[in-house]
Amino acid sequence: MSFWERILTNEVLICAVAGWTVAQILKTIIEFTLNKNFSAERLVGSGGMPSSHSATVCALTTGAGIRFGVESFEFAICFILASVVMYDAIGVRQETGKQAKLLNLIMEQDFFHLDNEQFQKRLKELVGHTPLQVLAGAVLGILIAFLIHISFFPD
């Protein structure tokens, strides 16, 4: 079996990639529906609904649980990774977005003029997630992993 055949038959990897892809596409559709304009950045960008980080790690974890069992070290590693990623998405990354929003407001003030071109760019505000966005991504990832298993890798 060739390298690419082995990659394409790796159920756990397929689950994770599909989780990220579907979440990014849904995020783009939701953004388009709400704002009535297409943003290509939504196809690869972070932040927004649903969380593609959560969808990815939950699909990965669920795929590992299905493939290797919940008692396996593979599942344990994925579970811990998923917990850290989702905690970070809600906590640190969401706070980073709030700080960027405040700094952008400060930089827009008339009395605050910077000569450095780098500081004239707006900071990215959409980097973290709300708990609902993380939950939606997690549920999406779990569902995708089960759907992929049932559709393409039945025992």
Side-chain angles (χ1 to χ4, degrees), residues 4-66:
W4 290 111
E5 288 173 324
R6 290 193 313 260
I7 290 285
L8 293 173
T9 58
N10 184 328
E11 180 178 0
V12 179
L13 178 62
I14 298 296
C15 288
V17 171
W20 180 84
T21 303
V22 171
Q24 288 300 125
I25 290 169
L26 281 174
K27 190 182 300 191
T28 305
I29 292 168
I30 291 169
E31 179 81 14
F32 178 77
T33 303
L34 294 176
N35 296 326
K36 304 297 184 229
N37 70 340
F38 175 75
S39 173
E41 194 273 333
R42 290 288 77 214
L43 286 170
V44 293
S46 59
M49 171 68 109
S51 166
S52 57
H53 289 85
S54 296
T56 303
V57 294
C58 284
L60 176 76
T61 304
T62 304
I66 292 168

Side-chain angles (χ1 to χ4, degrees), residues 71-82:
E71 71 282 357
S72 68
F73 76 89
E74 292 93 344
F75 176 80
I77 291 169
C78 292
F79 183 84
I80 296 301
L81 172 69

Side-chain angles (χ1 to χ4, degrees), residues 11 66 146-155:
E11 180 178 0
I66 292 168
F146 277 110
L147 182 64
I148 286 173
H149 177 72
I150 291 166
S151 301
F152 302 106
F153 299 95
D155 293 326

